Amino acid sequence: MTDGRTRRREDTRQRLFVAAVELIAEQGFSATTVDDIAARAGVAKGTVYYNFESKTVLFEELLRHGIGLLTADFRAAVAGLPPREALASLVRAELEYIRRYRAFAQLLLSEMWRTNREWQQTLRLLRGEAIEVIAETVRAGVASGDLPADLDVRTASSALFGVGLVVAVDWLVFQPDRPIEDVQEALLGIVRRVAQT
Amino acid sequence: MTDGRTRRREDTRQRLFVAAVELIAEQGFSATTVDDIAARAGVAKGTVYYNFESKTVLFEELLRHGIGLLTADFRAAVAGLPPREALASLVRAELEYIRRYRAFAQLLLSEMWRTNREWQQTLRLLRGEAIEVIAETVRAGVASGDLPADLDVRTASSALFGVGLVVAVDWLVFQPDRPIEDVQEALLGIVRRVAQT
DNA sequence: ACTTCTAAACTGACTGGTCAGTACAAAAAC
DNA sequence: GTTTTTGTACTGACCAGTCAGTTTAGAAGT
């Protein structure tokens, strides 16, 4: 299974993902050329097309991969915790994720609210999966009375997701000198206050 | 000054702004062609170049124009109000602005955190101007004791700005059936809680 | 071992299309 | 009669995607 061939190929794909995510985060999908991606990954252009059907498919698989990791982190973060603590744990997980994959987070923030793009449907779906984890937690909290009864589940969930993203990326882009721990504290404080019954 | 000629020209420029903002919000700057913009504005391509030096300059002037309006709204919103009320008024002004110029808000959200683009410097500057209005209010509130003393002015200001943007656009894109008043209520509630001393 | 053989992985020059920007004569608006 | 807009045609750069050819890993033969 993991002979030299597949390992080599997996390595190439990984390098292409890394190159693509950085460039697209900086410039956007359209402004990033396949030649750029290939050059940054240190492979020939043909290799990109040997490994991915098209530029769009590369990006879609990248989104799937990245958000898949995030969803998994979310799931792990809430596992077995009561609603309030689960919520705080989610915020921590999200920020930790953004810290580790900052380029991907930046990309997500920039492409998330676009319309009329080929991969929009894919992104919408994946976003739904990640947010569903948050929604489950909020729903459980509202049902058990741990969270305010008037909290709208769908709204609160997507707001929580988006707010973490925007606050963290804003910090990274405009105030990179500051440690991420400060954002975490600020956000946790806000979430805690909002979650008060 | 406002003879028929300049008015007509101003009208053309306005139509080009509207066309450009819609297309760029949907597709992004690079994916939007000058031919598209001209067609949507109902104008010949040559007219675009008669009125604007280049596609990039058109976009930069668009940013200047749009954020200029927002900054003016912000200034008007806080004028003469004590810190707490000024803050609530700012949130209302921001959401009102987003409701009126939703395409521009969407565009702003998508392009705000980009790096390595020609117009990035312009955007950074304009963002600073808009946020400065918020910052002045927060600063005054912290100084007078109306707002929590441990509030970091720079952080709180940019967070407030970004959060309004992301929550409103998220609602517009993913839950357009809901009235914006709900977002306003939710956001005001959050801001009020956070602003509590 | 050590040489073939084979298929997978990779290469980079090339193609066809797209697009920003130009040119300019004629028309329309003022 | 001056400014603004139109319409069409054009150029040159750029770029997604292709493909014939090269390299490489490792299997098969000896």
Side-chain angles (χ1 to χ4, degrees):
Chain A
M1 187 202 172
T2 39
D3 61 342
R5 293 221 258 260
T6 41
R7 193 182 295 122
R8 186 185 174 196
R9 191 170 179 183
E10 211 43 61
D11 183 65
T12 302
R13 287 173 60 96
Q14 196 60 37
R15 290 223 309 288
L16 283 169
F17 273 162
V18 171
V21 83
E22 287 174 0
L23 288 165
I24 296 175
E26 288 169 5
Q27 307 174 322
F29 175 76
S30 300
T32 300
T33 70
V34 175
D35 288 275
D36 285 347
I37 297 172
R40 167 122 20 156
V43 298
K45 187 177 189 177
T47 304
V48 177
Y49 286 93
Y50 180 76
N51 284 282
F52 299 96
E53 213 178 84
S54 66
K55 183 187 171 186
T56 302
V57 168
L58 160 57
F59 186 53
E60 280 176 341
E61 291 196 27
L62 180 61
L63 287 174
R64 240 183 286 277
H65 181 71
I67 302 186
L69 288 176
L70 180 63
T71 307
D73 280 6
F74 276 179
R75 288 232 122 84
V78 298
L81 290 179
R84 289 288 204 82
E85 290 166 40
L87 223 54
S89 181
L90 273 174
V91 172
R92 266 184 240 109
E94 185 175 6
L95 289 172
E96 177 58 31
Y97 179 88
I98 293 171
R99 196 167 66 93
R100 194 171 334 167
Y101 307 107
R102 55 177 294 170
F104 186 78
Q106 201 176 331
L107 176 162
L108 216 54
L109 184 54
S110 289
E111 309 292 350
M112 178 73 80
W113 292 276
R114 277 223 197 297
T115 46
N116 291 323
R117 309 264 66 207
E118 319 100 285
W119 34 260
Q120 197 223 341
Q121 203 51 39
T122 305
L123 187 49
R124 232 185 152 90
L125 196 82
L126 292 167
R127 172 188 178 276
E129 284 174 20
I131 288 184
E132 182 51 29
V133 183
I134 306 181
E136 279 167 18
T137 304
V138 176
R139 203 177 293 125
V142 170
S144 70
D146 285 313
L147 296 174
D150 60 339
L151 212 59
D152 177 77
V153 174
R154 246 175 81 205
T155 305
S157 308
S158 66
L160 191 66
F161 180 71
V163 164
L165 205 54
V166 82
V167 170
V169 173
D170 192 273
W171 213 314
L172 287 171
V173 172
F174 292 110
Q175 311 172 36
D177 43 315
R178 288 289 194 79
I180 198 90
E181 285 73 24
D182 289 10
V183 199
Q184 186 164 311
E185 259 331 292
L187 253 187
L188 280 173
I190 291 173
V191 171
R192 241 182 254 117
R193 275 172 154 149
V194 173
Q196 230 139 34
T197 40
Chain B
M1 189 202 170
T2 38
D3 61 340
R5 291 221 255 263
T6 38
R7 194 181 295 122
R8 187 160 75 109
R9 193 172 177 183
E10 214 40 64
D11 185 64
T12 302
R13 287 172 59 96
Q14 196 60 38
R15 290 225 307 289
L16 283 169
F17 275 162
V18 172
V21 82
E22 286 173 1
L23 289 165
I24 296 176
E26 287 169 4
Q27 308 174 322
F29 175 76
S30 300
T32 301
T33 70
V34 174
D35 289 272
D36 285 348
I37 297 172
R40 163 115 33 148
V43 152
K45 187 179 184 178
T47 304
V48 177
Y49 284 93
Y50 181 76
N51 284 282
F52 298 96
E53 212 178 87
S54 67
K55 183 187 171 186
T56 302
V57 169
L58 160 58
F59 186 55
E60 279 177 341
E61 291 196 25
L62 178 60
L63 288 175
R64 241 183 286 278
H65 180 72
I67 302 187
L69 288 176
L70 180 64
T71 307
D73 281 6
F74 276 180
R75 289 229 122 85
V78 298
L81 291 178
R84 288 286 204 84
E85 290 166 39
L87 224 56
S89 181
L90 272 173
V91 172
R92 266 184 240 107
E94 185 175 8
L95 289 172
E96 178 58 30
Y97 179 88
I98 292 171
R99 195 167 66 93
R100 192 168 340 164
Y101 308 107
R102 56 177 293 172
F104 186 78
Q106 202 176 330
L107 176 162
L108 216 53
L109 185 53
S110 290
E111 310 291 351
M112 179 74 80
W113 292 276
R114 284 231 189 292
T115 47
N116 290 324
R117 308 263 64 206
E118 318 104 283
W119 33 261
Q120 196 225 341
Q121 202 52 38
T122 304
L123 187 51
R124 230 185 153 92
L125 197 80
L126 293 166
R127 172 188 177 275
E129 284 174 20
I131 288 184
E132 182 51 29
V133 184
I134 306 180
E136 280 166 18
T137 305
V138 176
R139 204 176 292 123
V142 170
S144 71
D146 286 313
L147 295 174
D150 60 339
L151 212 58
D152 177 76
V153 174
R154 246 175 83 206
T155 305
S157 308
S158 67
L160 190 65
F161 179 72
V163 163
L165 204 56
V166 79
V167 169
V169 173
D170 191 273
W171 212 314
L172 287 171
V173 172
F174 292 110
Q175 312 173 37
D177 44 314
R178 287 291 194 79
I180 198 90
E181 286 73 25
D182 290 10
V183 198
Q184 187 164 311
E185 259 330 292
L187 251 187
L188 281 174
I190 291 173
V191 171
R192 240 183 255 120
R193 276 174 153 146
V194 174
Q196 230 139 34
T197 40

